[in-house]
Amino acid sequence: METSQSNDPCVPSVTACDLVTVPTRHGLEVVDILRRGAGDAVGPVLHDDGGGTLAFLVPPGTAAAWDVPGSTCTETDGRGLRLDPEPTVEGSDWLVPPGEADLATDPAVLRRALGEAARTIEAADNCR
């Protein structure tokens, strides 16, 4: 992921990245899986409380080949997206803040975690 300088040298500005968005329940399971498997495998994750979603920052170009059911991947081309400690969208907050994570989640690792999370949620729902 490309970065450029911001006013705070500890907070890079993102010039290009893609966002993988999933429902909150699925996303929380994914974050747990990523943290258990390799604690540093998860990049910044934004929680949109109003939309009921989590968005994982992934490297630019991921959206071109993204085909995981139950998720969407959107190109941002860096349009105003910054890894500031305070999100600029009202009703959102960092679940995994910048500075506590890599700049992006590896798409292959995220894809596997999304599949594992879907199987876990399905198994839990079928036990009721």
Side-chain angles (χ1 to χ4, degrees):
M1 181 178 305
E2 299 172 24
T3 61
S4 62
Q5 290 295 99
S6 69
N7 293 336
D8 180 350
C10 297
V11 182
S13 294
V14 175
T15 58
C17 72
D18 292 349
L19 294 172
V20 172
T21 305
V22 297
T24 300
R25 181 179 181 205
H26 196 161
L28 291 172
E29 188 68 36
V30 168
V31 170
D32 285 345
I33 290 166
L34 292 173
R35 284 186 168 160
R36 280 192 317 262
D40 61 350
V42 64
V45 180
L46 189 62
H47 179 230
D48 178 1
D49 193 37
T53 61
L54 292 183
F56 294 81
L57 275 69
V58 293
T62 301
W66 194 258
D67 62 352
V68 178
S71 67
T72 58
C73 189
T74 308
E75 292 181 64
T76 68
D77 295 327
R79 291 185 297 260
L81 184 63
R82 290 172 39 103
L83 292 182
D84 286 333
E86 296 298 321
T88 57
V89 178
E90 188 174 331
S92 67
D93 199 5
W94 292 108
L95 179 66
V96 179
E100 291 183 16
D102 288 338
L103 286 180
T105 300
D106 180 301
V109 172
L110 181 57
R111 182 182 300 272
R112 286 191 298 273
L114 285 165
E116 183 178 338
R119 291 186 297 277
T120 301
I121 290 169
E122 182 180 359
D125 288 350
N126 288 335
C127 288
R128 293 180 185 185

